[in-house]
Structure formats: C-alpha cells, structure tokens
Amino acid sequence: MVALQTCLQSLPELLNLQQELKRKQEQRKNYLAVCGDTGCTAWGSKHIKDVFQQCLEQKGLNHTTGLKFTGCLGLCESGPVVIVFPQGIFYQKVRESDIEEIVEKTLLQGEIIDRLLYQDPVSGEKIIYAGEIPFYRKQERVLLADNWSIDPSSIEDYLALDGYGALGRVLHSMSSAQVIKEIKDSRLRGRGGAGFPAGLKWQECNEMVSAQKYIICNADEGDPGAFMDRSLLEGNPHSVLEGLIIGGFAVGAAEGIIYIRAEYPTAVQKIRLAIGQAEALGLLGENILGSSFNFRIGVSVGAGAFVCGETSALVASVQGRVGEPRQKPPHLAERGYNNRPTVINNVETLANVPHIINRGAETYRLTGTKKSGGTKIFSLVGKVNNTGLVEVPLGMPLREIIFAIGGGIKGGKAFKAVQTGGPSGGCLPASMLDLPTDFDELSAAGSMMGSGGMIVMDEETCMVDLARYFLKFLNDESCGRCFTCREGLSRMLEMVEAITKGQSSMVEFELLKELAAVVKDSTMCGLGQTAANPVLSTIRYFEEEYRAHIEEGRCPAGVCRDLISFNINAELCNGCGACRRKCPAEAIEGESKTPHLIRTELCTKCGICLETCRYHAVNKL
Amino acid sequence: MINFMLNGLDVAVEKGTTLLEAARFYGIEIPTLCHNEGLSPYGACRLCLVEIGEPGKSRLVTSCTYPAQEGLQVRTHSERVVKTRKVIIELYLATCPSSKTIQDLASRYHVTRVRFRRKHDDCILCGLCIRYCNEQMQGKAIGFVNRGVERRITTPFNRKFEECRLCGGCIYICPACQARCQGPQEGSGVCNACLNLSPPCLDHFGDAMCYMDPCVACEQGRKG
C-alpha cells in the first residue's frame, strides 16, 4: 500500500509497482467474484456481497480469501452470478441462503454445489467451470476478459494485470506518429456505430495546427437494449482511461473529456473514482511518468438526449448548449470543442487501444476480418436463451452468435429476425443468418453494426409493430432541428401506426417507402439518416407481413391489437371459469360448467384468457 | 480561387464561398426557406440540397452550409435532387399550407398534389426569426424550446421580456406567417384570408405584439 501513496515519476517505478502488486495478488489466489453489474444488482448482488463479507469475517477467512465486487461477468440471464477462484467455479442465481454453504463447502472443502450450477439449455448438461460454459467458451474475450479479476474501484487490480503498461511504453519509446501508425495498422474501426478507422481519425486531428486540441470519450450509450460501454466503464474503467490518455498523446491533446449519460450513475461514480486514483499516482496530470506529456481528464454528464451521441450534438452539450447537431462540414477535427480540433472516440474503441499497443498491431489484427481488426462486444438480448454481453471476433456469422453462444431461441420457438445496430439499425431475416458481423456486410444488407445492440426476435414478433416501436423511439428523440427528420419521422410514424391498425392502403404504403427514402437521403445528422432503417429493412425482408396488415387486415404474428380477436372454442371449453375470473375487462361470460363466450365489444385483447386457459379453448385470430 | 464542377461546368469561386452562393452567382436557382444572406447558415429546411461526388458514390448535402472544394462535382438539378426536393415541398405544403411562400414554391417546382395528411401549423421552425433577433438585433429575445415534434419558438419562460424591443423583424422575415394565402375560396372566389389574419405571435406572446401599430403581420398580409 505504501507505493500507492506516491506519485510515479518514471517508467521503472511503474513497472516496480506492477510487480509488487502482482506478487501481492498471487498470495491471494482464492477469491470470490460477485457480479456487481446492473442485472445482477437488480437481483440483489450487493446484498449477497455484503453477506459474503460478513460470512468470511465470521469464519476468519477474510485475510486469505478475497472478495471482489466486479463489473459484468457476462451471463446476465442467470444473476446474481458468483465465480469462485482460482478454480473458476460458476454459480448462478445465488441467494442469501446459499452463501454459508458456498463458503463451507466450496471455499473450504472444494466441493461443488450441484443445484447452483449452470445448466446448458441446449444439452441440458450441468457445467461446473465458467470457462466451459458454451456461452463463454465460444467467445473471444479480450476487453471483457479482465472483468473477472478486477474490482473496478481498485486501481491495484488493474495495475497488477500490467495496467498502464501500454501508456508507459507509449510515453517512453514511441512518437505520436508511431502510435497512430500502430492504430492504423491494427485496422481498428470506431466502435460507436459509423466504423470510421480510428487511426485515420487520430491522424486528421494530429495534423491540424492548433494551440489546443481535445479528445472526447463518447459514453452516451443510448440504444435501447445495449450496455456494452456501460459494462466497460463499470467493469474496467482504467482500461478506458488508459486508451484515452494514449489517444490524447497521439493527437496532441492536453485535455480529455468523458461525456457520459446521466442515466449511468454507477459508471459516472466509477469513472470519477478511477480518474482520482490515476491522478494520485501521477498517471494523469503534469509530466506523466516523467515524460513531457501533460494530460487531464474531466467528466461531463449528459442530460438525457439520445441525439447527444451524435458527435456535433455531443460537443454542443459539453459546452453547455442545447444538444443539437449542426451541419457538417466543418468536421470536428477542424472545429470541435471550443472551436478547436477535437477527436471523439467511443468507449469501446478506446478500451481497445492499450491492447493494440501491448500486443502489437500485427497480432491484434489476426482477430477480425480483412478490413476491421479485433473483437466486438455485442449485447445479445431478446428471445435468446443466454442474454448478456458477448465479445466475439469481428466477422463471426450471426448464426454462431445467436445459436452457439446465445443458446438458440427461448422456449424452442422459431427464429424470425435479428435487429442489429440499435434503434436505427435494421432487421435481418433467417436467410441472412450466415452474414458475417462486420461493418460493411451489415450495411450492405440494409442494417448496420451500430454500437453493438443485437435484439433477437422469435416468430411471435410482428415486424410492423417492431418498426413502429423503433420509429416511435427515434421520433421522440429527434431534436427537431431539420425539417425532414422532425416532420418526416412523425409522418412515417403516423403511417406505420395506421398500418398496425389496419387503416392503411397500398397507395399509402408506397408513399411510406418514398418518404422513408427521402428522409434517409436528406436529413442533417446520423440520427435522421438512419432513422428510416427499421422501416426500410423490415419492408425489404418482410414485405408480405406489411401486405397482410394492409390488404387482409391481418397481423400474422398476432400482435397488433386492432387486427386480432379472441374467441372460445365451445367444444374444448369445459366452463371452468378461470378465464372469466381473470379477465380484467369482464368481457367473458358463461355459466359454470357450460362453454363460455367472449364479448368482443368489451374485450381489450390483453390475452390473459389465452394464457390462463389450460384446455387450449381460447383462440387468437 | 477554388475550381469545381457545377452541373458539368468548370467554375471558380473565392475560398469560403458556399455551394449555394456559388450556384446563385452563376445564375442557378436553388430554393431555400431557412436561408437569408444577412444571417448565418442553418441547414434546417433541407430545400437547398444538392448532390455532390461521383455518380454512384454521391450524396446529398445542404448547399447553404457546404463550402466549395477544389475539384468537387456538384449537381443542383439531378433526378435525385429534384425528386427529393419535390417530396420535401409536398411535406411543407401538408404541414403549413397557408403560407404563400410555400404555395409559391409548390407552383414553381411543379408540386401539384399533397398525399400526406394535412395539418395547419403556423410555424415551420426554420429559425430565421431567432437568428434575425440574435444576429441582427442582438436581442436574443426568442429561442427554441422542447425537442422533436414538440419544438417551438418562444420567449424565455413564455413571458414578455424587455429584451424584445418590438422591432417586428421576426415577423418581417418569417416565410410562413408573413403572407397567408389560401387561394380563391369556393363561395366568394377570392381569398381574403389576410383580412381576418390574427398575428400568430399572439398565441405565444400574450399581448406583447399588440403594442405595434400597425401590426407588421397584418401589414404584410395587406400588401400580399
């Protein structure tokens, strides 16, 4: 601990500290990793951790056994997750009542507790070790790998894993041009959505002549169902800081800003803590590690607008103005924050940087595709068995992610579509499952990589309703500055809503297509330009579903309320009355033990009767 | 000087000239609603879109904000531009049909039908009034509030403020409310909409604008 009080003045001092901490960690090989990410916290993992702490103290184990409250361990589906190290025994859905048993049996005697093990949804097999669970085994975890062994509130854990070693190397043996060349050679592309080559972006900013430059980390992750960046910030904040400092060195900036959304209070707190720790160690500030490089990092908290993820809107927001995009050019590399050259990188992009420096561009780019190197974190959600964060090499086919890692569709239902790229991404059907997940391939198929949201849908999803949902989201989030986005999206939403209500026509459907194309082509910023994607891609792959709504007044998936109705099959109904008692609208009538009847004029189509009936007598039409 | 291709012609303009200024200088007409020579470009009405780049790799950009670049290929009246522009004008017509400026645009660009549901908005949120107030009058008396479809223009906290010097410039410059025309009505054969014009500012500013005598909105209407 003595060493942490001092300010590191040189590279050897850093390396010494790393070694010292490493030795300390090795002495304490036994530790429990309790997942402290949002999913598991919602399941009560904080309490679980506290009880573990008490339990360890009671048994006098707290000096020999570590307890880490980590970032996301990945399998959010089975929270709260606890992993017992050094063996890596994976326990899921751990309750308070299990804790004593885990300490007694597993920690002290090395016994496995069968009922807490993870069961593979495909084979039904129980799996003991985390590394053997197919969900983890088929991933290639680089950025998330350290989440298992790092307590995000401790810089020691990060340093013990050679953390800030890349920064040391950069400051002492590389020039900014060499760093940029390394990043360019690695084929790292921006992970925020557009996939612009990160090295090129740095070079453009580096070449600008200006007394002051800025680098901003974009942590305004707003896509529904996506939480990659949050997990990195909450699970391994120092890796992002290290990337940001290296980025600052490469572009020639003396100030970095982390723009993070207010909806991520834990991440804000963790990153502030991490900045404080790095400052105390002299990894931020003046003459970092004895070099001539000065760098500071500030945190700017957003006020909750999706559009602020767009770079020019982000800059406006950081400067305290209304978070609205402006027309580019001039680009931010020319005129950004405070009208100075500014480069903005996504959290995940920056977290990749230390790995590139450590492993070298040649090794790094062995993973991934020819055009884009490295791994990508996806948040796999929706109707799959294993939901959570998955990190895979770029280019892995969708099928492998959804079926091999995700464990297939929940409840044995059929796969229908996968939505990639967040609200402004597109929906891809089963025929596209072998598509490699790569920036260019996904764009060509009418979707996009986006920041890495991946929402899987089964046969019970209505694609028109889905398009309506995302359109509604984007319409709510449009800043309203440019006419085609503001007015175009609200008109498109109106038209799609009319389709879900069966009040549209083929003429209007054609007009919707025409308008969607115009909106895509003519709006100011990325939000509007991609906002038509959910509509255009569902029309491209599921046009027959739109036609069924419009021409036949039928919702094939049975979702759109105005187009479905419920009735009771008199032959199957035995008059048990369960549906009648449950119906919130009191729309079901019938004498006991005689077939019941749904009064359609009262029915609100909630579907509770269908779920309630054990005799399959309720039909949805 | 910057040399570039404008509709297939080699042209040269001074550095810093926007594509809109260049096109207008060379006599090519590009419609605009949110642009005014005396105010900073805003890029919100999307009418001044032009196509830039090689065919096949081209994209649409707002000419009012895009600076002329060496060797750039610019097409102001390509099929893509004309089609897109027509849909945008149609959308304007459906949104704010009582603006004479917009009705005139429709005629000029051959927009002869409105397929979208019709609304009657007073304001197209082009922001000319705000920029006029800020940049020409240094008034900063009005600004945008809310976002998306809720967006509108008002004074701070919707109240009357001394920052507004009642110059009337905002109404003068407004393309949507300065002159209203609904065309000849079925019964009378004349429009006469201006006769009954109530200044739209009244909705937002309480009685603030009534101090102006005569009301600029009404004056503009009579002239029209």
Side-chain angles (χ1 to χ4, degrees), chain A residues 304-305 324 327 329 476-484 486-487 490-491 494-495 511 514 521-524, chain B residues 42-44 46 49 60 62 65-67 80 87-88 92 94-95 115-117 119 124-125 147-149 151:
Chain A
E324 258 171 36
Q327 187 72 49
D476 288 346
E477 292 297 338
S478 162
C479 78
R481 175 166 172 165
C482 81
F483 178 74
T484 40
R486 182 184 70 240
E487 203 58 41
S490 76
R491 297 305 180 116
E494 253 177 49
M495 289 178 187
L511 183 62
E514 194 180 332
D521 220 10
S522 66
T523 50
M524 182 184 286
Chain B
Y42 188 58
R46 315 311 287 175
L49 289 168
L60 300 184
T62 42
T65 58
Y66 206 93
R80 187 171 167 193
V87 174
I88 296 174
Y92 270 114
T95 308
R115 294 166 294 171
F116 302 103
R117 186 179 64 82
K119 297 202 292 193
I124 55 169
L125 300 168
R147 72 170 186 225
V149 284
R151 187 177 171 96

Side-chain angles (χ1 to χ4, degrees), chain A residues 117-172:
Chain A
L117 292 179
Y118 172 82
Q119 191 171 13
D120 184 29
V122 182
S123 63
E125 226 179 294
K126 289 210 165 174
I127 299 168
I128 300 172
Y129 301 108
E132 288 175 8
I133 295 174
F135 177 78
Y136 294 118
R137 203 179 60 220
K138 298 202 168 130
Q139 295 185 41
E140 186 169 331
R141 289 163 84 91
V142 177
L143 304 179
L144 293 173
D146 297 337
N147 269 21
W148 292 6
S149 37
I150 281 184
D151 181 334
S153 55
S154 150
I155 193 171
E156 298 165 53
D157 282 0
Y158 186 65
L159 286 167
L161 292 164
D162 293 328
Y164 289 103
L167 175 67
R169 180 117 57 87
V170 163
L171 293 182
H172 281 89

